[in-house]
Amino acid sequence: MYKKFFIQTFGCQMNEHDSEVMAGLLEEIFYIPTTDIAEADFILLNTCCIREKAESKVLSMLGEMKKYKAKKPDLIIGVCGCMIQQKNIVPKILHASPYVSLMFGTNNMNKLPDYLQQIAKTSQPIYEIVDEDSDADLKLPASRQFPFKAYTNIMYGCNNYCTYCIVPFVRGRERSRRMDDIVEEVRGLAADGVVEIMLLGQNVDSYGNDFEEDVSFADLLREVDKIDGIKRIRFMTSHPKDFSLELIDVIKNSWHICPSLHLPVQSGSNEVLKRMNRKYTREHYLDIVNNIRAAIPDVSLTTDIIVGFPGETEEMFQETVDLVETVGFDNAFSFIYSKRPGTAAAKFPDDTPLAEKKERLQRLNQSLSKWSHHHNKKYEGKIVEVLVEGTSKNDDNMLSGRTDTAKTVIFPGDKSLVGKFVNVKITTAQTWILKGKLEEKE
Ligand code: 5AD
Ligand code: SF4
């Protein structure tokens, strides 16, 4: 008898990929996925703890689980991922939601099938958090969300200890996967029909630094670029302190690496950058941007920015706005600083009221959306190649896909085109999306 599972994923692509791996593990023990949470026999929340809001969402969703458990006493409710890897979180969750019967962190998700089998046998809950870092060479199956695009982890963990960030505490030290294993995995994905690959790591530019031999991220990209069938290569996340000129060269001279770079700047103020422990200056960041644009003129640049870091004054914030105006990003994720217990910045004095931080975020977002619209406008009248990802969220007759520069394009078309490359003529540029119509390929 098949059992049904429902996984809710919070947070970044790394978590999304972990959920794909866990779905793959579950399918090996005869669980099948369901999109209807009410009919699931196993509900798993794969959590994120990067900001307080991410945690509150998990806690409130756990509260809603109570009604499902009341209706179906055999239901197993599990919580896993980054949030669980933090100190003292298990008792906190159990206090609020005692019906949670499985909790595990990021280092032991490979044991999920064992845990479920044990719970089925003994009816006893399992809460297991493993502190040491998991084996970076572990090969696990993945049940992919999309047949035509896939994530591949190239490394785990982060050594950077940016002072605001909880990731190094929950994801451990940097561990790179062997290049041969990555290449073999991507070849397998290509053979399986995957045309777009996203290489994942917290800081991909330091790939290979933990190896004795001299292997860099640029070397890895050159190898992945040679794999037949992979038409688009993306990667995230880069760190400005490690971003090399060699990398720019590899991207420029590659066949398949997309001209689309996500390079988090976090702040435009040198003082704030210093206290964030980012290890680069605004001048260095602007230099990288100039080098990238000189080599790859049609590149699309995106970033992450934190507003209201402890001690950020209005002048320091203005330096961030000024940097945004200087670079003119294609898109950006902007966040209000969220205090994470255990990080260095949690002890920094922070006297800016939240209302003021919110107001700064609004001003920043105005500048960001202005630039996004500006870049999108340049596409009007052009024909772009789009990989169709699915139907539009709001309209089943519309398709949604992406350009190599990661712009979302919405256009009328038939579902049979999902997973295919098509040419689309852009008719209207909006702030965050492009609209267009299909062009016949000659
Ligand atoms: N508060 C706000 N934003 C944060 N980020 C990481 N930690 C925090 C925090 N404590 C943001 C950074 C990072 C992105 C993934 O999340 O901008 O690049
Ligand atoms: Fe966090 Fe900094 Fe590591 Fe990114 S590089 S995961 S922001 S510590």
Side-chain angles (χ1 to χ4, degrees):
M1 238 316 254
Y2 284 102
K3 292 201 165 183
K4 293 183 177 164
F5 71 90
F6 179 96
I7 303 182
Q8 177 74 43
T9 310
F10 298 84
C12 65
Q13 280 91 350
M14 197 75 84
N15 265 17
E16 272 177 37
H17 183 54
D18 284 354
S19 290
E20 290 183 341
V21 168
M22 288 188 285
L25 289 167
L26 288 170
E27 285 169 20
E28 285 193 340
I29 56 161
F30 306 110
Y31 270 80
I32 51 172
T34 173
T35 49
D36 179 4
I37 191 165
E39 64 164 32
D41 303 290
F42 174 46
I43 300 173
L44 182 63
L45 308 192
N46 187 9
T47 62
C48 167
C49 56
I50 197 118
R51 282 170 288 276
E52 198 180 341
K53 229 190 223 159
E55 289 199 346
S56 351
K57 269 198 235 157
V58 170
L59 295 173
S60 94
M61 188 164 175
L62 273 178
E64 283 169 35
M65 302 285 117
K66 194 174 179 174
K67 60 174 188 261
Y68 299 119
K69 183 73 183 174
K71 273 196 204 135
K72 203 187 225 178
D74 283 345
L75 171 68
I76 299 175
I77 298 173
V79 189
C80 67
C82 294
M83 199 171 154
I84 301 302
Q85 207 67 43
Q86 294 177 100
K87 300 247 162 340
N88 305 327
I89 198 80
V90 170
K92 189 172 161 191
I93 290 179
L94 280 181
H95 181 72
S97 312
Y99 37 85
V100 171
S101 53
L102 174 61
M103 285 194 241
F104 55 95
T106 50
N107 292 323
N108 47 337
M109 66 177 183
N110 55 317
K111 284 175 76 182
L112 173 59
D114 293 351
Y115 294 147
L116 285 176
Q117 279 157 352
Q118 268 188 56
I119 293 176
K121 241 188 256 159
T122 65
S123 300
Q124 291 301 309
I126 297 177
Y127 310 125
E128 189 167 79
I129 289 130
V130 176
D131 274 334
E132 69 270 20
D133 304 333
S134 58
D135 181 355
D137 286 333
L138 208 61
K139 284 190 196 118
L140 296 170
S143 169
R144 293 192 313 276
Q145 227 179 319
F146 298 95
F148 51 89
K149 66 173 194 172
Y151 298 120
T152 293
N153 272 326
I154 65 162
M155 59 197 299
Y156 303 93
C158 179
N159 289 351
N160 289 314
Y161 290 95
C162 300
T163 53
Y164 50 81
C165 187
I166 193 80
V167 168
F169 300 92
V170 296
R171 289 276 179 174
R173 308 284 299 164
E174 273 174 19
R175 291 145 281 147
S176 305
R177 287 181 67 199
R178 315 290 319 168
M179 183 140 95
D180 290 348
D181 287 343
I182 298 169
V183 169
E184 189 191 308
E185 183 172 308
V186 179
R187 277 205 193 108
L189 290 165
D192 210 23
V194 167
V195 291
E196 179 175 308
I197 197 91
M198 168 75 93
L199 305 175
L200 291 177
Q202 303 295 347
N203 177 9
V204 289
D205 305 296
S206 62
Y207 172 79
N209 286 359
D210 51 332
F211 291 156
E212 269 172 27
E213 66 271 41
D214 204 10
V215 177
S216 69
F217 182 49
D219 297 331
L220 174 67
L221 279 177
R222 278 192 209 97
E223 287 308 308
V224 176
D225 193 36
K226 290 182 203 153
I227 298 174
D228 267 353
I230 299 295
K231 301 278 185 345
R232 284 182 175 179
I233 303 167
R234 304 186 189 278
F235 55 86
M236 70 188 316
T237 296
S238 280
H239 194 308
K241 86 176 160 63
D242 298 314
F243 195 89
S244 65
L245 288 175
E246 186 192 7
L247 195 59
I248 300 178
D249 221 43
V250 172
I251 301 171
K252 181 182 165 176
N253 295 316
S254 76
W255 292 293
H256 305 118
I257 305 174
C258 290
S260 157
L261 283 172
H262 185 66
L263 196 58
V265 66
Q266 314 296 1
S267 168
S269 148
N270 281 337
E271 196 175 326
V272 173
L273 286 172
K274 192 151 200 252
R275 277 188 293 114
M276 285 177 163
N277 192 31
R278 291 289 290 177
K279 300 198 178 90
Y280 55 84
T281 59
R282 118 189 221 118
E283 291 75 22
H284 179 68
Y285 188 90
L286 292 172
D287 252 9
I288 302 175
V289 169
N290 286 337
N291 285 323
I292 294 172
R293 286 211 169 121
I296 316 161
D298 57 348
V299 72
S300 123
L301 281 177
T302 57
T303 199
D304 292 344
I305 297 173
I306 297 177
V307 165
F309 185 74
E312 182 193 71
T313 61
E314 174 61 26
E315 289 70 38
M316 293 171 194
F317 168 69
Q318 278 305 330
E319 291 183 77
T320 300
V321 177
D322 184 75
L323 181 132
V324 166
E325 289 293 323
T326 308
V327 175
F329 292 102
D330 284 75
N331 207 338
F333 296 104
S334 52
F335 313 100
I336 291 184
Y337 166 75
S338 170
K339 180 172 166 173
R340 304 284 67 211
T343 60
K347 296 193 195 80
F348 295 174
D350 184 4
D351 50 13
T352 311
L354 184 61
E356 199 167 324
K357 293 186 181 189
K358 284 187 176 163
E359 196 266 332
R360 280 181 198 168
L361 182 70
Q362 256 182 18
R363 276 190 279 154
L364 177 71
N365 286 347
Q366 271 171 15
S367 166
L368 290 171
S369 40
K370 180 190 77 188
W371 279 104
S372 178
H373 194 229
H374 168 85
H375 287 295
N376 280 354
K377 269 279 182 204
K378 292 188 290 194
Y379 284 80
E380 275 182 351
K382 287 201 176 136
I383 295 169
V384 288
E385 187 175 57
V386 171
L387 173 58
V388 186
E389 296 192 340
T391 50
S392 157
K393 258 184 268 160
N394 313 319
D395 184 347
D396 232 23
N397 298 314
M398 299 293 268
L399 296 175
S400 169
R402 278 180 194 266
T403 62
D404 58 351
T405 50
K407 306 273 179 197
T408 301
V409 183
I410 309 283
F411 56 99
D414 188 80
K415 276 193 194 108
S416 60
L417 293 174
V418 173
K420 304 222 160 67
F421 285 99
V422 295
N423 285 337
V424 178
K425 181 163 190 172
I426 304 303
T427 48
T428 321
Q430 298 185 345
T431 303
W432 307 114
I433 58 160
L434 301 170
K435 288 190 167 166
K437 57 178 201 300
L438 269 172
E439 280 281 308
E440 294 306 320
K441 279 197 172 177
E442 337 51 85

